[in-house]
Amino acid sequence: MTSPYGRAESVLGGSAVYFSFAASAFAPVRLVAVVGEDFPEEFRKVLTTRNIDLSGLETRRGSQTFRWRGHFEADMREAQTLEVDLNVLAEPGPKVPDRFADSKIVFLGNTHPTQQRELLAQVRSPALVACDTMNLWIMTERDSLLQTLALVHGVILNDTEARMLTDRVNLIEAGDAILDLGPKFVVIKKGEHGAILLTREGTAAVPAFPARIVRDPTGAGDSFAGGMLGYLASCGRFDFESLRRSLVRGTVAASFTIEDFSLRRLARLERAEFDERLAAFVGMLRFD
Amino acid sequence: MTSPYGRAESVLGGSAVYFSFAASAFAPVRLVAVVGEDFPEEFRKVLTTRNIDLSGLETRRGSQTFRWRGHFEADMREAQTLEVDLNVLAEPGPKVPDRFADSKIVFLGNTHPTQQRELLAQVRSPALVACDTMNLWIMTERDSLLQTLALVHGVILNDTEARMLTDRVNLIEAGDAILDLGPKFVVIKKGEHGAILLTREGTAAVPAFPARIVRDPTGAGDSFAGGMLGYLASCGRFDFESLRRSLVRGTVAASFTIEDFSLRRLARLERAEFDERLAAFVGMLRFD
């Protein structure tokens, strides 16, 4: 990864990792993912420093880990992909371990929508299921994606994806159109412009945390989702009020991620720092 | 004006008018502007329905009123100018009436920065001066604009203008750079993405009101500034806290303006409706 603020080569990344790091600040996380035999021992070690159960992290013999190399221009808006090796991600997905089958909160990270449903089917009776997706599946696997969207409670996606999925420019209209596809809530992430939550009960918008230090936006969206779902797991309620509150937790998690390359900032983040920024953000948005 | 939602021909408009309508909900407004002899009597009548003193509205014999025709594409983001006749705006500016010289709050609407300073010089001892500007002056009258910025307490401009003025992409950095030019506060308006306030004491961001009805964004930015300055005039304090609170008033004013063409929505806006939406917006941003 390179940006106008520096570079970081062959570092730990991936949606599941950013998500898990952010979520683990609120609740224990069970990670299900697959890597190749080249996955470095030191990366695994970093993951063990958090409240993350790694028994669903499959290391597949004879396969190589997914790799991505990207670059952010000065606008830091959308990463340009310089090189991508799907590797193990092009193979069949991982299995959900039996001991994870009683999980109550499920986040289906961005992968083929059919694989998302296969993973979900291995969880017995989840109370809350949310998913992510990407432009590739919206364009090439629309039918399968619609099947997944009909099964989940919520979808967390970015503005470009929401517009592409619904063919609407106005994001509020796009969100309404996604609710018509099945989900009870939609969160549209807008990067530096914050996020919007839409449900049938109400709509809410939050700005991004006004950030002076932005070195690498990679993983911001996944950290946002992790902060959201982690908070929802910890509070155990999924009504509009709780969803709205989860937005600010996601926002604050993302605001730390972008301050440094890879997982560096999240890895050294203290809970007290998180709470301090959360209080500042909540105060910034309080108008008596 | 045309948009995907309809059209309105030869209707009342202009920054000063949108600003005054929005501000007059909070405090009496003294309008200083110049129109041509073609300015319709019914437009003048609409202006008298509000708490707006029109003794600074000069009707210049032998001149024609400024006219602008624009179109919004489906993204409703930036209006495309189809036709513009500067007319009386290309002539010397209006005079500030003697009875306005004791005004305490001054908003210098978007016009040539030299004319902004000439107008300001006619006010004896203002307590708060804010200004707007536009891409044209940033590109062609930079030196004059910098002189104006050195004289004002605050500047309220949009994201494109802030980036153009400072050559920074990150809006927080752009805002910091504008503070270096003299103003004590900078408000960067981002349309559907809300606004950012920057001062040396603190930074604040607010989202836009999540709007389902957007027919004509013309005047949204001017209404925003009017709501802000009107509130500041009514509360009489200009510290960071008051500025921050003024952001939500500006946001709510703008959210009504865009619901219909021209001044139509603002003209039929009741104070109770404004207060109700303000309470909903403040509630949406409250996280206990």
Side-chain angles (χ1 to χ4, degrees):
Chain A
M1 167 54 56
T2 53
S3 90
Y5 300 91
R7 61 194 301 124
E9 310 263 1
S10 297
V11 289
L12 180 58
S15 330
V17 174
Y18 283 106
F19 178 94
S20 301
F21 258 66
S24 67
F26 295 97
V29 175
R30 293 163 162 182
L31 176 68
V32 177
V34 55
V35 294
E37 57 183 18
D38 59 337
F39 191 70
E41 185 53 32
E42 81 238 42
F43 284 6
R44 185 178 291 269
K45 239 184 215 153
V46 173
L47 292 172
T48 61
T49 62
R50 296 278 155 158
N51 198 349
I52 304 173
D53 187 331
L54 297 178
S55 43
L57 177 63
E58 182 194 345
T59 305
R60 196 167 291 168
R61 297 287 148 219
S63 296
Q64 298 290 300
T65 304
F66 170 80
R67 291 176 73 95
W68 176 80
R69 200 159 67 85
H71 172 68
F72 277 98
E73 294 288 340
D75 67 0
M76 301 296 255
R77 184 84 181 108
E78 208 134 359
Q80 192 189 341
T81 293
L82 299 175
E83 211 180 311
V84 61
D85 302 311
L86 279 181
N87 292 333
V88 72
L89 291 197
E91 301 172 19
K95 291 266 163 275
V96 176
D98 287 344
R99 48 187 294 240
F100 285 5
D102 63 348
S103 298
K104 288 298 162 202
I105 319 281
V106 177
F107 180 67
L108 302 166
N110 169 32
T111 188
H112 192 295
T114 304
Q115 197 174 106
Q116 288 180 317
R117 290 198 302 285
E118 284 165 5
L119 286 160
L120 181 58
Q122 299 170 58
V123 183
R124 265 195 300 275
S125 57
L128 182 77
V129 182
C131 75
D132 188 7
T133 191
M134 73 183 292
N135 49 8
L136 179 66
W137 315 125
I138 295 170
M139 290 186 293
T140 64
E141 297 290 342
R142 193 175 187 89
D143 288 349
S144 178
L145 177 58
L146 293 182
Q147 287 179 53
T148 296
L149 291 178
L151 290 179
V152 301
H153 300 96
V155 53
I156 304 173
L157 75 185
N158 72 32
D159 43 3
T160 309
E161 291 154 359
R163 288 180 167 130
M164 194 180 285
L165 179 58
T166 62
D167 213 20
R168 310 283 168 102
V169 177
N170 179 306
L171 290 175
I172 310 286
E173 288 183 12
D176 284 344
I178 297 172
L179 290 178
D180 289 339
L181 301 175
K184 302 260 177 280
F185 72 88
V186 179
V187 174
I188 301 177
K189 299 171 290 181
K190 307 191 293 176
E192 63 165 326
H193 299 308
I196 311 174
L197 162 70
L198 296 104
T199 74
R200 295 288 180 210
E201 290 73 50
T203 303
V206 290
F209 184 82
R212 282 194 166 67
I213 309 170
V214 185
R215 287 210 182 81
D216 177 10
T218 309
D222 303 311
S223 310
F224 182 96
M228 269 198 76
L229 273 282
Y231 171 75
L232 290 170
S234 75
C235 85
R237 285 188 310 276
F238 319 120
D239 57 309
F240 177 67
E241 251 326 278
S242 307
L243 287 167
R244 198 176 62 85
R245 287 174 193 205
S246 74
L247 290 182
V248 294
R249 275 72 183 182
T251 300
V252 170
S255 78
F256 283 108
T257 298
I258 64 180
E259 287 185 1
D260 206 344
F261 288 89
S262 179
L263 270 293
R264 284 177 197 165
R265 188 64 184 92
L266 283 190
R268 65 171 189 273
L269 180 62
E270 306 279 340
R271 181 61 196 243
E273 285 176 298
F274 185 97
D275 290 342
E276 194 184 332
R277 186 172 292 182
L278 177 63
F281 189 58
V282 166
M284 185 191 91
L285 295 174
R286 192 185 186 98
F287 300 93
D288 297 304
Chain B
M1 167 54 58
T2 53
S3 89
Y5 300 91
R7 61 196 298 123
E9 311 264 0
S10 297
V11 288
L12 180 60
S15 328
V17 174
Y18 283 105
F19 178 94
S20 300
F21 258 66
S24 66
F26 295 97
V29 175
R30 294 164 161 181
L31 176 67
V32 177
V34 56
V35 294
E37 58 183 17
D38 59 337
F39 192 70
E41 186 51 33
E42 79 236 44
F43 283 8
R44 184 178 293 269
K45 239 184 216 152
V46 173
L47 292 171
T48 60
T49 62
R50 296 278 155 160
N51 198 349
I52 304 172
D53 187 332
L54 297 179
S55 43
L57 178 62
E58 181 194 345
T59 304
R60 196 166 292 168
R61 299 286 147 218
S63 296
Q64 298 290 300
T65 305
F66 171 80
R67 291 178 72 96
W68 176 80
R69 199 159 67 85
H71 172 68
F72 277 98
E73 293 288 339
D75 68 358
M76 301 296 258
R77 184 87 180 104
E78 208 133 0
Q80 193 188 339
T81 294
L82 299 175
E83 211 180 312
V84 61
D85 301 310
L86 279 181
N87 293 332
V88 72
L89 291 197
E91 302 171 17
K95 290 268 163 273
V96 175
D98 286 345
R99 46 188 294 238
F100 286 6
D102 63 347
S103 298
K104 287 299 162 201
I105 318 282
V106 177
F107 181 66
L108 302 166
N110 168 32
T111 189
H112 192 295
T114 305
Q115 197 175 107
Q116 289 179 317
R117 290 198 302 286
E118 284 165 6
L119 286 161
L120 181 57
Q122 299 170 58
V123 183
R124 266 194 300 275
S125 58
L128 182 77
V129 182
C131 75
D132 188 8
T133 190
M134 73 183 292
N135 48 9
L136 179 66
W137 315 126
I138 295 170
M139 289 187 294
T140 64
E141 297 290 342
R142 194 176 187 89
D143 286 350
S144 178
L145 178 58
L146 293 181
Q147 287 178 54
T148 296
L149 291 178
L151 289 180
V152 301
H153 300 97
V155 54
I156 304 172
L157 76 184
N158 73 33
D159 44 2
T160 309
E161 291 155 359
R163 288 181 167 130
M164 195 180 283
L165 178 59
T166 62
D167 212 20
R168 311 283 171 101
V169 176
N170 179 305
L171 290 175
I172 309 286
E173 287 183 14
D176 284 343
I178 296 172
L179 289 179
D180 289 340
L181 301 175
K184 302 260 178 283
F185 73 88
V186 179
V187 175
I188 301 177
K189 299 171 291 182
K190 307 190 292 175
E192 63 166 327
H193 299 308
I196 311 173
L197 162 70
L198 296 106
T199 73
R200 295 289 182 208
E201 290 74 48
T203 303
V206 290
F209 184 81
R212 282 196 166 68
I213 310 170
V214 185
R215 287 211 181 81
D216 177 10
T218 310
D222 303 310
S223 311
F224 182 96
M228 268 198 78
L229 273 283
Y231 171 76
L232 290 170
S234 74
C235 86
R237 286 187 310 276
F238 319 120
D239 56 309
F240 177 68
E241 251 325 278
S242 307
L243 287 166
R244 198 175 64 83
R245 287 173 192 205
S246 73
L247 289 182
V248 294
R249 274 73 182 182
T251 299
V252 171
S255 78
F256 282 108
T257 298
I258 64 179
E259 287 185 1
D260 207 343
F261 287 89
S262 178
L263 270 295
R264 285 177 196 165
R265 188 64 184 93
L266 283 191
R268 65 170 188 272
L269 180 63
E270 306 278 341
R271 181 60 195 244
E273 285 177 299
F274 185 97
D275 290 342
E276 194 184 331
R277 187 172 292 182
L278 177 62
F281 190 59
V282 166
M284 185 192 91
L285 295 174
R286 192 184 186 98
F287 301 94
D288 297 304

